[in-house]
Amino acid sequence: MKKRGIGLGCAWYGTGYGNGFPDVSSAFVEIHDDGSATVLTGAVDVGQGSSSIFAQIAAEELGLRAEDICVNTADTDVTPDSGTTAATRQTYNTGNAVLKAVRQAKSSLLNYAAREFSCPTPEGIELKAGYIGVKGDPSRRMILGDMVFKARLNGERFISAESSTARSTPVDLTSGQGAPYWPYSFGCQAAEVEVDTETGKVKVLKVTAVHDVGKALNPTQVEGQIAGGVTQGIGYALLEELELQKGMIKNPAFSSYLIPTALDVPKIEAYFVEEAEESGPYGAKGLGEPAMLPTVAAVINAIDDAVGVRITALPATPEKILQALAEKKEELG
């Protein structure tokens, strides 16, 4: 017999290293005389899309296209330290460092252009679609690369280096007060499952996920991050079990250590709440670990809703479910 159930899981997650531990990211930026810019940062993009976000941040600030930005990351010979790709911190922390560096280089450029255009203040200069000129006066503008080339001939280059430190403070162990993380992300997921009471097999039919991401700088990446997190969460809940014997891993291959395949991924509906985080780059917050955290609780609660047994040791394998069902039957007589 197959029974269905629905479960809910909620999570909140503090960005960064936590408890006042120095959480610093750095970035270098240069605007070139071909109208492009380079961002140098030690942040490692492991597939979550941070390099794309850094390009978007720089492009938005400089009035360029994302493809006009070269992002060079994780080369310890030329890039500054940006900390680990962990703790949902790269978009927020390193993104802030990139934004600060871009704005510093841009400020120098605007000051130079104001002098060239005899504009009273740099606030009267704008960067737009690869051009630089006086606001409201199309006759007084030029290609950005030409302006940068002219400046270079005059001995000026637009290079900057900036860093960003997460604003967290240690927790006072006496009062219990402090700000160990900043900012916080929140998420909620609902899972619908089908449990086969004869085999103990669980099939996840659908997961609906809603996450607070601050401002979604790249909505497609946000949806992808949620889908990936949900898939990992399903693996954590139902499949992945590391077997150890005297400190040695007994199942070191994917034939014995099971992870979700495309056939295990259910329908995933991803939604996000956009409420800009004032301290984040253009209002963004991170969405790394938070995307998978609620999934486990949602799936386990759904199993309980379907067959009335609470699995307390992960993963919820068919063997554990059958055992729990047998124990429940025994209790009921």
Side-chain angles (χ1 to χ4, degrees), residues 183-196:
Y184 288 87
S185 296
F186 305 88
C188 183
Q189 296 180 10
E192 181 182 356
V193 306
E194 182 179 80
V195 183
D196 189 324

Side-chain angles (χ1 to χ4, degrees), residues 31-236:
I31 304 172
H32 303 294
D33 56 19
D34 62 355
S36 68
T38 295
V39 173
L40 299 174
T41 175
V44 178
D45 190 331
V46 294
Q48 83 280 19
S50 58
S51 292
S52 297
I53 291 297
F54 302 152
Q56 286 183 244
I57 289 171
E60 179 70 20
E61 195 65 24
L62 296 174
L64 298 173
R65 302 169 302 168
E67 50 263 42
D68 295 323
I69 310 298
C70 174
V71 179
N72 189 345
T73 64
D75 181 346
T76 56
D77 190 43
V78 296
T79 62
D81 186 11
S82 292
T84 59
T85 297
T88 305
R89 59 181 295 281
Q90 286 298 351
T91 290
Y92 177 78
N93 222 47
T94 305
N96 267 331
V98 170
L99 182 57
K100 288 172 68 176
V102 172
R103 284 178 172 169
Q104 185 185 93
K106 177 183 175 181
S107 177
S108 299
L109 174 61
L110 295 182
N111 276 292
Y112 180 85
R115 295 193 299 271
E116 288 296 309
F117 286 116
S118 300
C119 186
T121 66
E123 287 73 25
I125 302 296
E126 69 176 350
L127 289 165
K128 190 174 182 180
Y131 286 84
I132 185 168
V134 179
K135 292 179 181 177
D137 189 350
S139 67
R140 298 170 67 193
R141 72 170 189 171
M142 62 190 302
I143 295 172
L144 173 61
D146 292 345
M147 176 65 76
V148 177
F149 179 73
K150 185 175 183 180
R152 186 162 65 83
L153 293 179
N154 291 325
E156 292 204 37
R157 294 177 67 187
F158 306 111
I159 303 174
S160 62
E162 279 288 351
S163 65
S164 176
T165 303
R167 64 180 201 199
S168 60
T169 59
V171 172
D172 185 301
L173 298 180
T174 303
S175 66
Q177 300 301 304
Y181 297 95
W182 192 267
Y184 288 87
S185 296
F186 305 88
C188 183
Q189 296 180 10
E192 181 182 356
V193 306
E194 182 179 80
V195 183
D196 189 324
T197 58
E198 293 184 3
T199 65
K201 181 175 175 58
V202 177
K203 182 178 182 180
V204 182
L205 304 175
K206 180 181 177 182
V207 174
T208 302
V210 182
H211 287 267
D212 157 36
V213 298
K215 176 64 178 176
L217 302 187
N218 189 317
T220 300
Q221 281 188 195
V222 171
E223 290 177 3
Q225 187 73 34
I226 291 174
V230 167
T231 302
Q232 284 186 296
I234 290 171
Y236 186 25

